[in-house]
Amino acid sequence: MNRLLVAHVASMLFSAVVAVTIAVIVRRRDDATRGGRWFVVSLLGIAFWTTTQAASTVAASEAASVAWLKLTFVGSAVAGVALLLFTLSYTGRDHLVTPGLVGALAVEPLVALGLVFTTERHGLVHESIGLDPATGRLLVVEHAAWFYVHLAYMSVLLAVTTALLLQLSYRARNLYRGQAVAILVALVLPWAGTFVDGILSPRFTVTEPSFALSVVALWVGLFRYDLVEVPPVARSQVLETLSEGVLVVNERGQLIDSNPAAERLLDIDETVVGEPVAEALSAHPALRCAVEAETPPEEPVSVETGDGRSYVEVERADLGSRAGAVSLLQDVTDRIEHERELERQNERLDQFARVVSHDLRNPLNVADGYVELLADHVDDEEGTAYIEEVRTSHERMDRIVEDVLALARDGEAVDDPSPVPVESVVTDAWAQVDTADATLVCDLDRTVSGDRSQLQRSFENLFRNAVEHGGRSVTVTVDAIDDGDGFFVADDGHGIPPEEREQVVESGYSSSDSGTGLGLSIVDSVVRAHGWTLTVGESDAGGARFEVRNVEFVAPTAERAT
């Protein structure tokens, strides 16, 4: 056996060994949803193809050489069909890979194989097969009509496969473009060799040795571009349209994908795909740590770009021990800035409350003292009337101060709620209001979780509103709502017109010249601070009815229960 023949056989065996090795690696890495099973089948087809061709070349007899040659058709047919099926799955067309399609694609190869193994009877595939007199080993084959039919069919499969990969290569991003090119190189070389062998019939076939270069291209695609492990299945329909940023990192710490939203947010481009995360996110160390951590931080991380500072929430989902993880990046900059603005507003509000509490109340107390002193020196009826007017104005001013302070302080969320017996707080609130001849009916023996002082102030405002607008002999009822969703405060006064029911809880709204317009607004703020809702309606007696819903009643404390 001369050196050229030895090299010819060695190249085919090398191709077979590398193809089987890649198939084993892919099978271990891949799951069934990525089309990897068809890639494995195509690799095994290539390995069988090149092995049988090598066996045909070194066979000791003409009969054995012909038998091995016929078996090469099995490998080539399997490789061609399986590679098309893999490409369909790889490019996001999994729905086309059905048993029906597989069966249809297998019809011509099965017919061709039947004709190959019976060609001596009809001569439809090979007109003649004989040993090359010069070498005594290589077969000289004259092809017949069906061989060219089979070659044309396999060429159509190759053309479709190539078109799909070219389309992907044109549209794909950096990593996927490399994958597609690797497959194209591995695909084109052997089939180009098939054309050369089929048309020119050289002394040494070039198809099988070309697989030596083909499998090297696949090896590069596997380890350089994570072929099969990171397929672009339906990527454009998912990642490209997401408003949140997406970063995909494999188990080796390599950034294997990112979407446009992430690139805009982080001021990076698609060239970082394929790099280690430490390098790809080197400009954002806090984010890099969050992406690499098994449990991302609960607080947003800051990201500095040319457009300024942004804040990002990171959510991480594992894709499996061999697949890596995906990190979802939510830009929460607007929310963080809004929260900080609210904090600044609350600070200003607290400062305002302190001013109201100290700088207004102190002079008001001084004025009250002087009014009392003045009253001791006024004996006539007219002067006494004027002093009473001043006292009334001072009382109204004091109520305004109390309401403003309550509005500033009671609208905050209740952070440390405690069990509050409703009947007890209702009784205490009723005692603090000048109710004149009004009557209270409370049958609500339930307990809620909340802030007692805020709830008492709310009931005081509701009772005061009932007396002021419903008359001094009004009857006020506090009871549970029939569906158990909360409680209500109702009176038998004049009621609130439907067109005004939404306005009465707005700050500053009052239908009375003596009202501050803040009482019911405070009630609404306290209700919302507890996570409840307030609605205004009409009572059974035609008066006003205030319903507090979304209330969760709790068990009373042990002390109260006993």
Side-chain angles (χ1 to χ4, degrees), residues 292-349:
E292 292 179 331
E294 292 186 4
T295 303
E298 295 182 0
E299 297 297 323
V301 297
S302 63
V303 173
E304 295 284 351
T305 65
D307 296 329
R309 174 175 295 182
S310 300
Y311 294 91
V312 178
E313 278 187 349
V314 181
E315 295 183 18
R316 187 177 185 273
D318 288 327
L319 301 177
S321 58
R322 295 195 181 112
V326 57
S327 294
L328 186 66
L329 311 182
Q330 179 90 26
D331 186 356
V332 295
T333 305
D334 291 341
R335 192 194 77 192
I336 295 298
E337 292 179 349
H338 180 65
E339 289 175 352
R340 293 185 174 178
E341 178 61 27
L342 285 179
E343 290 177 1
R344 290 190 290 268
Q345 290 181 1
N346 288 335
E347 290 176 359
R348 292 194 294 268
L349 196 58

Side-chain angles (χ1 to χ4, degrees), residues 12-279:
M12 290 185 286
L13 294 177
F14 170 79
S15 301
V17 171
V18 176
V20 171
T21 302
I22 295 176
V24 171
I25 294 173
V26 171
R27 185 67 187 89
R28 289 179 176 177
R29 286 187 177 186
D30 185 62
D31 59 57
T33 62
R34 297 175 178 172
R37 62 174 61 175
W38 293 113
F39 189 57
V40 169
V41 172
S42 68
L43 288 168
L44 295 178
I46 291 172
F48 189 82
W49 186 356
T50 54
T51 300
T52 52
Q53 183 64 42
S56 176
T57 302
V58 299
S61 65
E62 180 178 341
S65 183
V66 171
W68 284 113
L69 178 64
K70 292 179 178 179
L71 288 174
T72 62
F73 278 79
V74 176
S76 63
V78 168
V81 172
L83 193 57
L84 173 59
L85 295 173
F86 160 70
T87 303
L88 288 172
S89 296
Y90 177 77
T91 55
R93 297 172 174 85
D94 307 73
H95 60 285
L96 299 178
V97 184
T98 62
L101 177 65
V102 176
L105 293 176
V107 170
E108 192 283 333
L110 290 175
V111 172
L113 289 174
L115 295 176
V116 165
F117 285 101
T118 59
T119 188
E120 291 84 1
R121 299 178 184 178
H122 45 69
L124 292 176
V125 180
H126 300 136
E127 291 183 357
S128 64
I129 303 178
L131 289 176
D132 182 3
T135 62
R137 291 184 180 275
L138 295 176
L139 293 174
V140 177
V141 181
E142 291 186 17
H143 302 299
W146 196 268
F147 174 85
Y148 294 106
V149 171
H150 180 64
L151 180 63
Y153 177 75
M154 300 307 291
S155 299
V156 170
L157 298 187
L158 171 64
V160 175
T161 302
T162 303
L164 293 174
L165 291 172
L166 284 174
Q167 182 187 47
L168 174 65
S169 178
Y170 176 75
R171 294 181 177 179
R173 298 158 66 81
N174 193 37
L175 179 68
Y176 301 127
R177 188 176 296 118
Q179 292 180 356
V181 170
I183 300 175
L184 278 170
V185 171
L187 181 68
V188 169
L189 289 175
W191 291 110
T194 300
F195 272 99
V196 173
D197 292 342
I199 304 300
L200 301 179
S201 300
R203 181 179 180 185
F204 287 95
T205 60
V206 297
T207 300
E208 291 78 8
S210 67
F211 277 112
L213 297 176
S214 178
V215 294
V216 170
L218 290 178
W219 189 274
V220 173
L222 182 68
F223 291 101
R224 174 63 181 88
Y225 298 109
D226 284 318
L227 182 60
V228 179
E229 184 179 3
V230 193
V233 178
R235 182 186 184 282
S236 60
Q237 287 81 8
V238 181
L239 294 186
E240 299 287 341
T241 58
L242 280 177
S243 59
E244 293 83 5
V246 176
L247 299 177
V248 183
V249 180
N250 64 13
E251 82 282 3
R252 296 188 298 277
Q254 181 185 26
L255 182 65
I256 56 177
D257 202 2
S258 65
N259 70 339
E263 292 162 8
R264 290 191 299 270
L265 181 61
L266 305 179
D267 196 20
I268 58 177
D269 56 45
E270 64 180 54
T271 59
V272 301
V273 174
E275 295 182 357
V277 174
E279 296 180 12

Side-chain angles (χ1 to χ4, degrees), residues 443-491:
D443 297 322
L444 187 58
D445 187 17
R446 306 293 295 274
T447 300
V448 297
S449 180
D451 184 295
R452 184 183 180 90
S453 63
Q454 290 189 23
L455 292 176
Q456 179 172 326
R457 186 175 297 111
S458 296
F459 280 115
E460 290 175 8
N461 287 346
L462 288 172
F463 297 155
R464 189 177 292 113
N465 180 79
V467 173
E468 290 179 353
H469 297 279
R472 299 181 65 82
S473 60
V474 69
T475 297
V476 180
T477 303
V478 181
D479 205 346
I481 299 174
D482 290 340
D483 59 12
D485 191 38
F487 57 88
F488 68 86
V489 177
D491 62 59

Side-chain angles (χ1 to χ4, degrees), residues 275-452:
E275 295 182 357
V277 174
E279 296 180 12
L281 302 180
S282 59
H284 312 294
L287 179 63
R288 175 178 60 81
C289 293
V291 170
E292 292 179 331
E294 292 186 4
T295 303
E298 295 182 0
E299 297 297 323
V301 297
S302 63
V303 173
E304 295 284 351
T305 65
D307 296 329
R309 174 175 295 182
S310 300
Y311 294 91
V312 178
E313 278 187 349
V314 181
E315 295 183 18
R316 187 177 185 273
D318 288 327
L319 301 177
S321 58
R322 295 195 181 112
V326 57
S327 294
L328 186 66
L329 311 182
Q330 179 90 26
D331 186 356
V332 295
T333 305
D334 291 341
R335 192 194 77 192
I336 295 298
E337 292 179 349
H338 180 65
E339 289 175 352
R340 293 185 174 178
E341 178 61 27
L342 285 179
E343 290 177 1
R344 290 190 290 268
Q345 290 181 1
N346 288 335
E347 290 176 359
R348 292 194 294 268
L349 196 58
D350 288 339
Q351 184 178 7
F352 171 72
R354 288 193 296 270
V355 170
V356 170
S357 178
H358 182 271
D359 293 358
L360 290 183
R361 178 169 284 169
N362 282 355
L364 185 59
N365 290 337
V366 172
D368 285 339
Y370 278 112
V371 167
E372 296 304 320
L373 291 175
L374 181 61
D376 293 338
H377 295 80
V378 175
D379 298 327
D380 61 286
E381 184 176 343
E382 185 177 4
T384 301
Y386 290 151
I387 290 176
E388 286 302 318
E389 288 292 334
V390 174
R391 283 174 175 164
T392 300
S393 297
H394 283 183
E395 289 174 0
R396 186 166 183 270
M397 291 172 64
D398 188 60
R399 280 186 54 191
I400 292 175
V401 170
E402 289 291 339
D403 286 349
V404 169
L405 289 175
L407 193 62
R409 293 170 177 169
D410 291 350
E412 300 177 358
V414 179
D415 297 326
D416 188 21
S418 59
V420 180
V422 178
E423 188 174 15
S424 173
V425 76
V426 164
T427 302
D428 291 345
W430 187 262
Q432 296 299 316
V433 178
D434 181 10
T435 55
D437 297 326
T439 302
L440 173 66
V441 178
C442 181
D443 297 322
L444 187 58
D445 187 17
R446 306 293 295 274
T447 300
V448 297
S449 180
D451 184 295
R452 184 183 180 90

